[in-house]
Amino acid sequence: MIYGYLRAIENCSPERDINMQKQLETMTNQGIEIIFQDLVTRKTTGNEQFNHLLDMLEENDIVVIVKLSRLAVSLSELSDICGIFSNKRAILKVLGLGEISRNGHISNEKWINALKEFEEDIRYEKNL
């Protein structure tokens, strides 16, 4: 099964590609029909739907995200999540970057730049 996952921050600028509406448009343009969405507010961490998705994830399932920063708030958390995908033998796909395969390997070298972008997005969100 192919799932999409979106996470946005309340009051995020509509111009940013991490805005919920922009993420949703990107996912639907990719033909992804089952999309889980979380909204982070000052009162919530916004992980409820993601945790539900992880609970139902099965071997060979694919989860598509727009950016790494939509998945985690630190490199440590990102590493833990990738471990969950590996243990479940599921695939995480980041649009424009590639996949983390069932064995935990990264499929291309663009990921270094993605990690830099991840850190920039996290810094932006902390300043909202």
Side-chain angles (χ1 to χ4, degrees):
M1 184 71 67
I2 299 175
Y3 301 102
Y5 177 68
L6 314 176
R7 188 175 133 265
I9 301 237
E10 186 178 52
N11 301 325
C12 180
S13 168
E15 290 79 36
R16 303 252 330 163
D17 56 358
I18 58 177
N19 171 279
M20 184 69 82
Q21 188 59 40
K22 287 194 177 198
Q23 291 181 71
L24 187 57
E25 289 171 11
T26 300
M27 287 287 176
T28 54
N29 289 341
Q30 294 289 319
I32 299 168
E33 296 177 3
I34 303 172
I35 301 172
F36 291 80
Q37 301 178 45
D38 280 320
L39 181 65
V40 178
T41 68
R42 289 193 168 129
K43 296 180 182 180
T44 66
T45 58
N47 291 343
E48 294 80 19
Q49 290 298 308
F50 183 66
N51 290 333
H52 178 65
L53 173 59
L54 288 179
D55 288 343
M56 62 186 288
L57 204 57
E58 297 180 357
E59 185 173 349
N60 296 319
D61 283 348
I62 298 171
V63 176
V64 180
I65 59 174
V66 174
K67 296 178 82 168
L68 287 174
S69 63
R70 303 305 83 220
L71 195 61
V73 296
S74 69
L75 290 174
S76 174
E77 184 181 19
L78 182 61
S79 176
D80 292 345
I81 290 169
C82 289
I84 293 169
F85 275 80
S86 181
N87 290 340
K88 290 187 172 253
R89 300 192 48 77
I91 298 169
L92 173 63
K93 180 178 180 181
V94 183
L95 295 177
L97 291 176
E99 299 176 350
I100 295 177
S101 66
R102 288 175 286 282
N103 61 11
H105 292 115
I106 295 172
S107 62
N108 65 44
E109 60 279 346
K110 292 181 184 178
W111 285 78
I112 298 293
N113 289 332
L115 291 174
K116 290 178 186 174
E117 187 177 273
F118 168 80
E119 288 180 330
E120 291 170 6
D121 286 343
I122 297 305
R123 273 188 245 118
Y124 169 80
E125 289 180 13
K126 286 181 179 178
N127 290 323
L128 282 180

